[in-house]
Amino acid sequence: MTPRKRRATEVGPDPEFLLRLFTTVARARALEDALSVHIRDHGFAGFWHPGKGQEAAAAGACAALRQDDYLFYQGRGATWPLAKGMGLQPVIGDLLGRVTGSTGGRGAGVPHWADPSLGIMGEGATLGSVYPLAAGAALSAKLRGTDQVALADFGDGTSHRGTFHETLIQSSVWKLPLIYFCENNGISVSTPFHEVSPTENVADRAVAYGVPGVIVDGHDAVEVHRATAEAVARARAGEGPTLIEAKVTRVGGHWEGDAQQYRATDYLDGYRDPLDVLREHLGAEHEETADKIVGAAEAEVAEELRTAEAAELPDPGIILKDVFA
């Protein structure tokens, strides 16, 4: 069983759906750009891992999920919570450590956005913890007899953790409604993927666990959505996990301000901007609408950023709230 490369079909989705995808990516991109300027001009208390260029992966994947499906993310940027339905203020509030954040400001700087009502379960504090956490949610859904699924998002570097293998083998045996979603940008901090992986693709490993391995163009939200929708349908039908590998491009550094001296000068040669790809799907007849969406997203992000900056800082005692011992 070799991993199959998912290709977009000639018959695309309807324009309304495409515009929703475009809006998600545009809002995430506007936030990425605004944060870059904010960090440069005002300093930043956290350690921001920019996700510019990778927005299509999260947007396409989340569009295939229901609100009550579980999302466990360890990706960069802020597209995952936005795409799953979280508002800009809860996202930005946590980034700036304000009470308006989804966690009330507890996850300042390196945010752990969470809202169970939206199926956003947060991210594990340790890379690799996303796998058993998502599998636990999937097991819960299976035992309760619901048709919910759980998606575990991770990067190519995290795919080398032992929990990747331990969790996937058990999830396959139990046929859990679990989706492994890898954003492979080809570089783990500063180490190229090909230097540390014996397989060309993360999806190549799926055969060892008896699950489908699918490779998609992570710059194309439509292609990502189709592949994820197939995996979701398979999971809801009781057929078990799927491993999806979205080939993406990390446009910026590992963190905001990373000089990237380790990168070759041609590292952006294969990059396709997710916004441009969606514009191609929409066609020239929707160009004006797309421009308006981008402008509205930039204005909305600017306003929400000002609101967050003016919001109160949390009382230090919040760190103990909802902690049980």
Side-chain angles (χ1 to χ4, degrees):
M1 185 191 301
T2 57
R4 57 190 178 86
K5 292 190 176 182
R6 186 66 170 83
R7 298 293 184 185
T9 60
E10 291 185 3
V11 179
D14 64 88
E16 183 179 345
F17 176 72
L18 286 172
L19 287 170
R20 288 201 301 271
L21 279 180
F22 187 87
T23 299
T24 298
V25 175
R27 294 173 83 228
R29 175 63 58 80
L31 180 54
E32 288 284 346
D33 289 340
L35 282 174
S36 180
V37 173
H38 180 83
I39 293 169
R40 183 195 67 201
D41 294 348
H42 303 290
F44 192 60
F47 193 59
W48 176 242
H49 298 87
K52 186 172 183 176
Q54 297 188 199
E55 300 95 343
C62 284
L65 300 176
R66 294 194 318 234
Q67 180 171 315
D68 65 337
D69 288 329
Y70 300 110
L71 170 65
F72 294 83
Y73 61 88
Q74 287 196 313
R76 53 183 52 251
T79 310
W80 285 100
L82 291 174
K84 196 62 166 67
M86 185 173 284
L88 277 166
Q89 190 55 220
V91 169
I92 298 174
D94 272 345
L95 282 166
L96 301 189
R98 300 302 200 269
V99 295
T100 56
S102 71
T103 65
R106 277 174 287 189
V110 184
H112 293 248
W113 300 291
D115 187 342
S117 70
L118 298 172
I120 302 172
M121 309 308 292
E123 70 172 295
T126 303
L127 290 175
S129 62
V130 65
Y131 307 118
L133 290 172
L139 176 60
S140 168
K142 186 178 180 71
L143 292 175
R144 289 182 289 110
T146 71
D147 64 347
Q148 294 164 283
V149 305
L151 185 146
D153 163 64
F154 57 96
D156 51 286
T158 306
S159 72
H160 300 308
R161 301 301 292 263
T163 45
F164 172 100
H165 308 279
E166 296 163 2
T167 301
L168 188 52
I169 191 170
Q170 197 62 58
S171 297
S172 178
V173 170
W174 287 347
K175 293 192 179 301
L176 297 185
L178 176 65
I179 299 168
Y180 264 37
F181 190 95
C182 177
E183 294 180 77
N184 188 349
N185 58 32
I187 189 165
S188 178
V189 185
S190 59
T191 303
F193 177 74
H194 66 83
E195 291 186 6
V196 293
S197 176
T199 60
E200 182 180 353
N201 308 292
V202 174
D204 294 340
R205 305 170 193 173
V207 64
Y209 304 101
V211 303
V214 183
I215 299 172
V216 296
D217 178 2
H219 306 107
D220 189 338
V222 174
E223 186 175 337
V224 172
H225 171 260
R226 288 188 176 124
T228 308
E230 290 179 5
V232 167
R234 185 173 182 275
R236 294 201 203 284
E239 298 176 14
T242 299
L243 170 56
I244 299 173
E245 179 180 2
K247 299 289 191 178
V248 296
T249 302
R250 197 188 81 192
V251 172
H254 179 60
W255 67 89
E256 190 67 39
D258 177 8
Q260 304 185 76
Q261 295 179 344
Y262 47 83
R263 303 195 78 160
T265 56
D266 61 350
Y267 74 95
L268 289 178
D269 283 359
Y271 172 62
R272 296 198 298 154
D273 190 304
L275 283 171
D276 292 341
V277 175
L278 282 171
R279 284 181 183 272
E280 292 173 9
H281 282 294
L282 283 164
E285 63 270 28
H286 295 286
E287 185 175 350
E288 184 177 350
T289 301
D291 288 340
K292 289 180 179 178
I293 289 172
V294 170
E298 292 172 349
E300 183 186 12
V301 166
E303 178 62 28
E304 294 295 340
L305 186 56
R306 286 192 292 268
T307 298
E309 289 178 308
E312 295 181 2
L313 294 168
D315 184 284
I318 195 175
I319 198 69
L320 299 176
K321 189 176 185 297
D322 301 325
V323 175
F324 300 92

